[in-house]
Amino acid sequence: MLGADVSPAQYASLLQRAAQGDARWLQFDADALRSHYNRRPFLLQHRLQEHPLFDIAPLFDLAQRLPAQQVKFRRGDVAPDADFDATFKPPQDALTLPHLLAHFEPLHGYICINNPEKDAQYRPQIEALLAEIAAHIHPLDPHITWYSTYVFISAQGAVTPYHMDREMNFLLQIRGEKTADLWSQDDPVILRPWQKDRLLAYEGARPPYKPEFEARARHFALRPGLGVHHPFIAPHRVWTHSDLSISLAFTFRTRQSDRLTAAHQFNARLRRLGLQNPKPVGESAWVDAAKAQALHALQRLRHPLHAAQH
Ligand SMILES: [Fe+2]
């Protein structure tokens, strides 16, 4: 499983650690954080480019010592409207990781290292970032319940096609330049309510890109030391430019996003039962909370032993 749950006790110790910590790696604009967090993308600053673990050589070493299932790789020169999940599927003309690392730039290499925090060398730094993020968002969105990080290394001209994830993200650019295009998760032209419900219920493929979305994109030019916040399920597409790019995606869920996820999953069930227009998630916090509770009650009925153990 990708990522790790964060228990209430772990969360409390993260907040404590942040209060005591002296090394600050992230810098938020307090007004932007307050007004934009989980509503609209916004830029933040960081200084991970100063950290030796995020140089290319230690990251290539990390890619080679982690279990193979934690390292996804491919050629980076894919079409910007390609199916996101299909880009990692074999066959990849028998491309191997050692071969790709040895010829990274000519092959337009693209590597995604899943969960560097599972590596003993990287864990302390990633946990320090988690503590800082928890402390900053706590007044707005308390209790991180899960997190997962990814390091993206890409040669020039690599594309991560249009897609959306089921969590929030701070994408931190460490080396080279990258353009992150983001679309509003609240724009019904981009994401219809039924598409969000099915996305969160893992039903079918992710909602696809359409050319008419292009004019609605917001473009964020990232360089080392800059990051961009992705609100919950905000669609995005990422481009690298003429140089090697390294970035860290810090993705996480909170009690609030867990409630929204459960409400979407409840709506997906209603749709499967034939109710075509359940109240869209996000219109009423009270209704969303009730749907989340109803879903959990249904899950306890179906799996009483599992529920009793938790
Ligand atoms: Fe993504």
Side-chain angles (χ1 to χ4, degrees), residues 196-261:
K196 295 185 193 180
D197 295 341
R198 286 175 58 95
L199 171 75
L200 273 309
Y202 290 83
E203 283 181 19
R206 300 184 212 221
Y209 170 83
K210 293 182 182 166
E212 57 264 36
F213 294 173
E214 208 52 50
R216 294 168 180 260
R218 290 189 64 198
H219 309 287
F220 292 86
L222 301 181
R223 53 181 160 71
L226 272 186
V228 64
H229 169 60
H230 296 32
F232 182 61
I233 69 170
H236 51 282
R237 178 183 60 196
V238 184
W239 312 74
T240 65
H241 298 277
S242 58
D243 45 6
L244 190 94
S245 168
I246 300 174
S247 46
L248 175 73
F250 208 111
T251 71
F252 60 99
R253 301 176 193 148
T254 60
R255 285 186 181 167
Q256 166 69 6
S257 74
D258 288 345
R259 260 196 304 277
L260 294 175
T261 299

Side-chain angles (χ1 to χ4, degrees), residues 84 163 165 236:
F84 174 72
H163 69 283
D165 303 301
H236 51 282

Side-chain angles (χ1 to χ4, degrees), residues 53-133:
L53 279 181
F54 293 95
D55 283 344
I56 191 71
L59 286 169
F60 275 7
D61 288 345
L62 175 69
Q64 287 174 294
R65 76 172 171 268
L66 283 175
Q69 69 270 20
Q70 268 179 258
V71 183
K72 293 202 274 185
F73 58 94
R74 59 169 165 79
R75 297 177 67 117
D77 44 354
V78 300
D81 58 351
D83 178 77
F84 174 72
D85 291 308
T87 56
F88 289 105
K89 286 184 183 148
Q92 282 267 323
D93 52 29
L95 188 66
T96 64
L97 182 61
H99 183 76
L100 184 70
L101 294 182
H103 308 89
F104 197 72
E105 304 226 25
L107 285 174
H108 294 260
Y110 174 96
I111 299 179
C112 174
I113 301 175
N114 292 342
N115 303 129
E117 64 273 18
K118 290 186 179 166
D119 181 82
Q121 271 188 41
Y122 281 78
R123 187 179 307 125
Q125 182 57 29
I126 302 283
E127 287 185 349
L129 289 172
L130 176 64
E132 276 192 60
I133 289 172

Side-chain angles (χ1 to χ4, degrees), residues 295-310:
L295 183 84
H296 293 143
L298 282 170
Q299 287 168 337
R300 280 195 295 273
L301 273 177
R302 251 182 138 177
H303 304 288
L305 185 62
H306 180 80
Q309 288 170 338
H310 290 76

Side-chain angles (χ1 to χ4, degrees), residues 125-146:
Q125 182 57 29
I126 302 283
E127 287 185 349
L129 289 172
L130 176 64
E132 276 192 60
I133 289 172
H136 278 103
I137 68 167
H138 182 75
L140 303 162
D141 190 11
H143 294 280
I144 291 174
T145 56
W146 171 94

